[in-house]
Amino acid sequence: MLLKLVDLLIYEWAGFAPDSRLGGAIHFFVYDSLKILLLLLGLVFIIGIARTYLPQERLKQWINRGGIWGNTVAALLGAVTPFCSCSGIPIFISLLKAEAPLGVAFSFLITSPIINEYLVVLMASEFGMPITFAYIVCGLTIGILAGALMGKMKLERYLELDIMRGASEEESVRRYTIAERLRFGWGEAVTMFRQIWHWILLGVAVGAVIHSYVPQAAMERIIEATGVFSVPIATTLGVPMYANCAAIVPVAIVLFEKGIPLGTALSFMMAMAALSLPEAIMLRRVIKLPLIAIFFGITAVAIIATGYLLNELEPFLSR
């Protein structure tokens, strides 16, 4: 129904030719923007309600247990919290102040920007569920294993802050009424919508230009020029940049459609989401430069490995 409505709006009422580049770009922008924003608002509302059922006190106990179990819980917590690489840092600091193991705190910091509800909505609507599921599994694996490895390396000496012990008293378990759960879910959806709608429009606009004006042959030449090194090059290019995943997902989709391998496109997106120069600057207030370098290095290597794996799995995931 939405596609038919946009066809009517762009091609009949506005008078753009369906076979023109400008008409195709405008149609792509309007249709994808409406589809993504509507899905985002509805599904984040549902996920927000589900979040009120999470056992907060139990989560704290599980995280503080440490070990691979603590890394897993922290990664899962990161996956359901809508933070970018920079906005997740206050939670990272709070975990350290609550005496969570360093590796566990890094599992949260790594996973949170790579996976979140609006990213899953965007990917599921554009890439399909098989690719989205593979991306989620890979993102969780990166967060869990990278955090566990950093925990084994005993890197606490690189902490810049004196971590507070017993920073806050245990809060009583919050009990929600049905009306409060609905209000919480709606508040989550509206807040998220206000925070990222402009990123979505920006990303879709860039994707529309690439979709209609960048020849597929040019994309194929880029792939041929980089060859087997396309994944590390894409990851390296993504690290210095900073963007909300809402902006980069539409671009990654169009790059994939233009012939860029799946793993290469997603490794670029992961690197932009999980690692950025603004994040490094903010982390410097908390941890020393060697630990920042280790964090970036381990995460980048994990993203590159994931990119190669997804490239190999692309024929099965794209069916």
Side-chain angles (χ1 to χ4, degrees):
M1 292 175 60
L2 180 61
L3 180 60
K4 292 181 179 179
L5 176 61
V6 175
D7 286 344
L8 179 67
L9 177 65
I10 301 302
Y11 296 140
E12 296 190 25
W13 292 356
F16 289 99
D19 56 350
S20 68
R21 289 185 175 181
L22 180 59
I26 293 175
H27 184 279
F28 181 98
F29 175 77
V30 174
Y31 174 68
D32 274 49
S33 296
L34 290 175
K35 177 178 64 175
I36 291 172
L37 291 173
L38 289 173
L39 283 171
L40 179 69
L41 192 62
L43 291 184
V44 173
F45 170 66
I46 295 172
I47 294 170
I49 294 174
R51 192 179 297 160
T52 63
Y53 289 94
L54 290 176
Q56 302 296 325
E57 301 304 321
R58 190 73 59 82
L59 282 173
K60 291 179 182 178
Q61 295 173 6
W62 289 341
I63 287 175
N64 287 328
R65 285 170 59 183
I68 196 69
W69 177 251
N71 294 104
T72 302
V73 174
L76 291 171
L77 179 62
V80 298
T81 50
F83 296 119
C84 66
S85 59
C86 290
S87 58
I89 291 177
I91 308 299
F92 171 76
I93 297 172
S94 298
L95 289 172
L96 294 178
K97 288 183 177 180
E99 298 183 297
L102 180 62
V104 170
F106 270 112
S107 286
F108 171 86
L109 186 64
I110 293 169
T111 309
S112 184
I114 293 179
I115 307 172
N116 48 62
E117 59 262 44
Y118 65 81
L119 174 65
V120 172
V121 171
L122 297 179
M123 290 195 65
S125 64
E126 299 292 343
F127 280 110
M129 285 308 301
I131 292 177
T132 302
F133 180 76
Y135 178 89
I136 292 172
V137 171
C138 289
L140 286 172
T141 303
I142 290 174
I144 294 168
L145 296 184
L149 176 60
M150 295 180 72
K152 294 292 186 182
M153 295 172 70
K154 305 298 182 183
L155 300 169
E156 285 77 8
R157 64 187 182 277
Y158 294 118
L159 288 175
E160 198 69 71
L161 295 179
D162 293 329
I163 304 303
M164 297 167 52
R165 297 189 177 185
S168 60
E169 297 181 355
E170 294 293 326
E171 298 177 357
S172 58
V173 178
R174 174 72 187 276
R175 298 184 181 278
Y176 292 89
T177 65
I178 296 298
E180 287 174 336
R181 295 185 196 280
L182 293 173
R183 285 196 295 268
F184 182 85
W186 181 248
E188 287 281 287
V190 172
T191 299
M192 182 57 56
F193 187 91
R194 289 173 176 172
Q195 289 176 345
I196 70 171
W197 67 268
H198 51 290
W199 289 105
I200 292 176
L201 295 183
L202 175 62
V204 174
V206 174
V209 172
I210 296 174
H211 180 269
S212 295
Y213 289 94
V214 177
Q216 183 169 345
M219 291 295 179
E220 292 173 351
R221 284 196 295 270
I222 293 174
I223 298 170
E224 293 173 358
T226 56
V228 71
F229 299 106
S230 64
V231 174
I233 289 174
T235 303
T236 303
L237 291 175
V239 169
M241 304 173 69
Y242 174 72
N244 190 296
C245 272
I248 196 60
V249 168
V251 179
I253 293 164
V254 176
L255 292 177
F256 177 52
E257 291 176 347
K258 288 290 185 178
I260 296 293
L262 175 66
T264 303
L266 293 186
S267 62
F268 176 67
M269 187 177 76
M270 280 185 174
M272 288 187 66
L275 304 170
S276 67
L277 290 181
E279 179 187 23
I281 293 171
M282 294 180 67
L283 280 175
R284 183 62 187 88
R285 302 173 186 173
V286 187
I287 59 181
K288 297 178 182 179
L289 288 176
L291 182 50
I292 294 176
I294 292 171
F295 162 53
F296 271 54
I298 290 176
T299 307
V301 169
I303 290 173
I304 291 171
T306 299
Y308 281 119
L309 175 63
L310 291 174
N311 278 344
E312 293 297 321
L313 295 177
E314 181 180 338
F316 305 99
L317 297 174
S318 301
R319 289 178 179 176

